[in-house]
Amino acid sequence: MLKDNVKAPSKQLEPISGKYGATILGPTNPSREAENPDVLVPPRTDSGTLPNLKWSFADSHMRLEEGGWARQTTVRELPSSPTLAGVNMRLNPGAIREMHWHKEAEWSFMLKGSARITIVDQEGRTFQDDIFEGDLWYFPAGIPHSIQALKDGCEFLLVFDDGNFSEDNTFLLTDWLAHTPREVIAKNFRQPESAFANIPKHELYIFPGHVPPPLAQDRVAGTGPAPLSYSYRLSAQKPLTMKGGTVKIIDSSLFPISTTIAAALVEIEPGAMRELHWHTNADEWQFYISGEARMTVFASEGKARTFNYQAGDVGSVPFPMSHYIENIGNTTLRFLEIFRSSYFADISLATWLKYTPHELVKAHLNIDESVLDAIPKQKTPIVAP
Ligand code: MN
Ligand code: MN
């Protein structure tokens, strides 16, 4: 008897494509193979050796703490992504991801629920805000911050602008003070040592807490307000809407503090696809929120490989390899494209061909003028069937 959330493979997939391939006689993992139909039976256009471009958070170590959990996909899990790392974190109502800082910048997307963030900058200026589903925050490198779940708890994705990041080596308030002589702490605050007798002896990292009061009551002014917002209401941004899906692009042009992370939130309807394109500025790191996808990445020298993705998976596209992402399921495909850059930039195959002298294009591809004429003048990053 399968649990509700485990998909029963409808039938055993075999690595057979026409006259190529043969059945599997040895050990097999049917549910895993069913998740990766285009890996088991690749398109005939796939060729050559590429690095692995897929990792599932389901394969990441889960760090369980009282009050929540965290798991990460870094360059250790996905070596093809040296520029970005991701953390998936869950906090129960009131639970706290403790006050800390780190050498990487942190970008976040709230997947479910809500949380309160707090920041103090190098001038003593403060920022506190409540973040809801579909909204973002960005903490620059070195800036101390905290995250506390509000009454319904929360789960979010964090993206760091270095693939070497580890959630286990951030600079924690409690870890620091546990490793500072008690008399030094006392001298620092001009207080007796007894005032610090109950400081934890080990880091807290994630720990239970009480749901904080409304933001207006919780605010601390500091030396003044932060000059830039550390949060962004992506849920309120109007998407670019086209036949087949929607796109929300968010970079430093709309969210100025986010100078090292640019992103697109993409929704693709069944059968439609994110068109053939590449990016001019950075590696792409993807997080799949819902649906089922297929992506082929072209790596030059005749090399191409196809991968499948579903909710909770991470995809990677090394700079400047070209690719498409197709919705192969029967529900909306929703995912994030993330780049270590201040801006979002892509070049589509269709636009490139449309604006190159057509005789030149036809000399390469032996296509009719009508194909080029049919390409819309406006960019349409999603193509409907
Ligand atoms: Mn952090
Ligand atoms: Mn892309």
Side-chain angles (χ1 to χ4, degrees), residues 240-247 266-277 294 323-328 333 335 337 346-351 371 374-376 378-385:
L240 302 168
T241 300
M242 61 217 78
K243 194 168 181 285
T246 69
V247 180
V266 182
E267 288 188 350
I268 304 177
E269 296 309 321
M273 65 179 236
R274 175 82 169 86
E275 66 177 342
L276 287 156
H277 70 281
R294 168 168 100 150
H323 51 284
Y324 69 88
I325 297 153
E326 194 176 14
N327 182 343
I328 57 166
L333 172 67
F335 67 97
E337 303 176 5
D346 67 357
I347 293 186
S348 79
L349 172 64
T351 302
V371 176
I375 298 171
Q378 260 188 322
K379 259 186 123 178
T380 52
I382 293 167
V383 180

Side-chain angles (χ1 to χ4, degrees), residues 106-167:
E106 170 181 329
W107 181 97
S108 176
F109 180 83
M110 184 61 77
L111 294 164
K112 286 278 178 204
S114 57
R116 179 161 305 165
I117 56 171
T118 75
I119 294 103
V120 177
D121 77 5
Q122 66 279 9
E123 312 282 339
R125 296 172 298 199
T126 60
F127 183 87
Q128 297 117 19
D129 198 13
D130 290 346
I131 308 294
F132 298 91
E133 184 171 332
D135 292 337
L136 313 178
W137 69 69
Y138 181 91
F139 302 144
I143 295 288
H145 52 273
S146 67
I147 307 160
Q148 181 173 22
L150 299 178
K151 69 175 172 42
D152 297 320
C154 61
E155 184 176 330
F156 46 86
L157 174 76
L158 304 173
V159 180
F160 298 87
D161 61 359
D162 185 342
N164 274 301
F165 174 83
S166 174
E167 184 62 19

Side-chain angles (χ1 to χ4, degrees), residues 184-202:
V184 172
I185 300 172
K187 187 190 285 184
N188 188 73
F189 292 102
R190 300 183 180 89
Q191 297 289 328
E193 280 188 45
S194 59
F196 304 99
N198 297 322
I199 286 183
K201 293 187 173 58
H202 303 283

Side-chain angles (χ1 to χ4, degrees), residues 6-256:
V6 176
K7 226 187 295 176
S10 51
K11 67 177 178 47
Q12 173 70 57
L13 287 174
E14 297 289 1
I16 296 171
S17 173
K19 65 180 180 178
Y20 302 99
T23 58
I24 298 173
L25 296 179
T28 182
N29 186 334
S31 61
R32 201 82 173 190
E33 283 152 4
E35 284 177 11
N36 298 288
D38 295 288
V39 177
L40 188 74
V41 188
R44 296 296 302 163
T45 42
D46 275 15
S47 174
T49 302
L50 262 80
N52 176 47
L53 302 179
K54 174 182 178 174
W55 181 266
S56 176
F57 269 106
D59 289 326
S60 293
H61 167 72
M62 188 61 100
R63 181 171 175 181
L64 300 182
E65 298 287 337
E66 194 183 350
W69 52 252
R71 51 183 172 177
Q72 60 186 355
T73 298
T74 71
V75 75
R76 292 165 284 274
E77 286 79 21
L78 187 60
S80 61
S81 177
T83 51
L84 296 167
V87 169
N88 178 203
M89 188 178 290
R90 172 82 165 91
L91 298 174
N92 283 333
I96 296 164
R97 166 64 172 98
E98 84 160 277
M99 296 163 69
H100 71 283
W101 74 98
H102 32 75
K103 68 178 180 183
E104 303 81 4
E106 170 181 329
W107 181 97
S108 176
F109 180 83
M110 184 61 77
L111 294 164
K112 286 278 178 204
S114 57
R116 179 161 305 165
I117 56 171
T118 75
I119 294 103
V120 177
D121 77 5
Q122 66 279 9
E123 312 282 339
R125 296 172 298 199
T126 60
F127 183 87
Q128 297 117 19
D129 198 13
D130 290 346
I131 308 294
F132 298 91
E133 184 171 332
D135 292 337
L136 313 178
W137 69 69
Y138 181 91
F139 302 144
I143 295 288
H145 52 273
S146 67
I147 307 160
Q148 181 173 22
L150 299 178
K151 69 175 172 42
D152 297 320
C154 61
E155 184 176 330
F156 46 86
L157 174 76
L158 304 173
V159 180
F160 298 87
D161 61 359
D162 185 342
N164 274 301
F165 174 83
S166 174
E167 184 62 19
D168 297 327
N169 60 21
T170 63
F171 291 79
L172 306 182
L173 171 64
T174 54
D175 192 26
W176 184 18
L177 295 189
H179 295 93
T180 302
R182 183 74 50 80
E183 71 269 20
V184 172
I185 300 172
K187 187 190 285 184
N188 188 73
F189 292 102
R190 300 183 180 89
Q191 297 289 328
E193 280 188 45
S194 59
F196 304 99
N198 297 322
I199 286 183
K201 293 187 173 58
H202 303 283
E203 69 176 42
L204 295 173
Y205 181 60
I206 289 172
F207 63 103
H210 298 295
V211 175
L215 186 56
Q217 284 176 43
D218 211 20
R219 278 194 198 283
V220 178
T223 61
L228 292 174
S229 177
Y230 291 86
S231 63
Y232 180 82
R233 301 269 176 256
L234 185 62
S235 61
Q237 182 175 315
K238 200 166 141 25
L240 302 168
T241 300
M242 61 217 78
K243 194 168 181 285
T246 69
V247 180
K248 288 182 183 181
I249 292 169
I250 176 65
D251 62 19
S252 63
S253 65
L254 290 171
F255 187 22

